[in-house]
Amino acid sequence: MAPSIVSIAALAALLSPAIPNILVIAQLTAGCTTNSFTVSSWLIEDFDSSGTTVRFQALNRATNTSAQLSCQVSRNTSTWQACTSDSSRLIASVQLEAAVARVRINETWVCNDLTPSRPLNFAAQGEGSLPITCNTDACAPSSTDPLLIKSVLSSPFPLSPSAVPGPSGHDKEGCAAGSRTPSWEIFSTQLNLRNVSGRIEGGNAFIQLRNTITDYRASCFGTLTGTAPATMQCSAQSTGRPRAPKYNINTVLTFSPGSFVLSVNETWFCDDANPAQPIEIFGVGTARLPLECSAVGETTTYCAGDPATFTGRLISEKPIPPFSLGDPLPTAPSCTISSVVAPSYRFSDFETIVASGSSLGSIRFGVELNTGAAFTGYPSTFFRSGVSVSVTEGGSTAWYPCVLESVGEQSLTPTACAFRYDAATQSLSLSADWKCSDLDASRPVSFTGDLRTTVPSLTCSTTSGRTRCATAPGQAWAANVTSVYWGN
């Protein structure tokens, strides 16, 4: 495929929203870019309507900046009426009816916390309804809670982030009230104790427990040393989409093999009573497990027990920001954000094979989109035969369509690509298409990018008239995409 090169700077200008001719200050606040792609929305607060004037504050949750709005309105009308704002980048309008105020927001902003030399322009729109109670002269919100207006991004490309499910049980009925008297069920226990001269010298423990308030289940494993209490490693029993490291349930389990006493410290979250008032809860509990043990051979004792429930106590509860538990959090690997901010590919397993006396041979290489996460170790492999492995006349080489040989991590694999290779300089060029659906599965973002990299040192060997040149086994290297285009 013939590459279509559009510079990142040109693309940013092309896809940026129209911004008034004013001084625009880029947001350097950490998280501005990531938040803009995931939690761009507004909280409408301090709503007040008196006579023909409506006033309120709009807090942009992506940038953590607020604008004050004032609107001259007519009551009981379905007509959208414009507001004035102390921010020239935010446009708002309202409808004021008998029992509801509707608010419409359109805002642009700039982030460069991840791209200092290349600010990203964002534009988003949203609309929400606020229940109100009115008398002859004024209207007031029916609740003191802020109104959440979720947005749809229109720049740098259309995007409606899909939410990752909140922490287990956060919206379960009775979560907040029940957490005042927390309890846990131990539903599986297995101990393997090593005995020396009648004393416990070591072993291991496997314990599964469930928070009866949230129904969160954790599996905990630990290595035992003598009779001393051991802190066990706990992880969630979950098959859902992974959450970002934010508002996650944390379980710490300590077990004493000498007394069978277990202690649990756990942090969990609730917003069942009101999503606008989520809380973080910390509770603890201690119990002696009713285990039955039997000898297995001369030095091993195996212990297990029936399910048991014990009550703990609430240590603390504290508020967290409104609507936090239902936010669309980025998942790992973050394909979309990485592709916009700093797109690159990891290469590995490069080899060429050519028969003696021929300029044509085969090329194989592994490739995987680099998201900043750990290398998966399962790149997709492309293989092509009939490829020129020497410089063509004029000093350039031909482009060849990629042929997929094996798929590694599909979400990090190009959907199409073309490459060329200059054997004299070991220069490999790639023009690739890929898609990201990690933030909005219903509307994937398509990317096209071009890069050039130098293949690391090759080791060559000739067998039966065929010369194979390859990188070292397991060797991988990254190459930045120098030109990129994106769109839906």
Side-chain angles (χ1 to χ4, degrees), residues 167-170 214 216 236 243 247-251 266-269:
S168 180
H170 72 96
T214 62
Y216 173 81
R243 288 178 55 80
Y247 306 129
N248 284 319
I249 296 175
N250 181 51
T251 305
E266 191 165 79
T267 300
W268 64 96
F269 305 86

Side-chain angles (χ1 to χ4, degrees), residues 242-303:
R243 288 178 55 80
K246 186 177 182 181
Y247 306 129
N248 284 319
I249 296 175
N250 181 51
T251 305
V252 177
L253 200 77
T254 302
F255 178 71
S256 298
S259 61
F260 294 167
V261 171
L262 172 149
S263 298
V264 59
N265 296 351
E266 191 165 79
T267 300
W268 64 96
F269 305 86
C270 297
D271 67 351
D272 59 307
N274 186 347
Q277 298 178 11
I279 53 176
E280 177 183 303
I281 298 168
F282 177 60
V284 301
T286 301
R288 186 180 187 280
L289 301 185
L291 302 179
E292 294 184 1
C293 302
S294 59
V296 181
E298 295 182 357
T299 61
T300 301
T301 299
Y302 174 78
C303 302

Side-chain angles (χ1 to χ4, degrees), residues 45 56-60 65-69 85-87 90 107:
E45 302 174 293
F56 59 91
Q57 174 182 277
L59 169 66
N60 184 320
T65 57
S66 297
Q68 303 295 327
L69 287 302
S85 170
D86 63 357
S87 170
L90 187 148
E107 187 174 9

Side-chain angles (χ1 to χ4, degrees), residues 417-478:
C417 66
F419 71 92
R420 64 181 179 184
Y421 177 63
D422 184 340
T425 61
Q426 295 181 199
S427 174
L428 176 66
S429 299
L430 185 75
S431 181
D433 298 340
W434 69 97
K435 288 188 177 182
C436 296
S437 58
D438 56 318
L439 297 184
D440 188 349
S442 65
R443 187 159 41 184
V445 183
S446 297
F447 294 88
T448 294
D450 304 302
L451 62 86
R452 182 177 178 180
T453 183
T454 299
V455 177
S457 177
L458 298 174
T459 299
C460 299
S461 60
T462 301
T463 304
S464 302
R466 292 160 56 88
T467 299
R468 177 181 181 268
C469 297
T471 54
Q475 183 178 16
W477 72 98

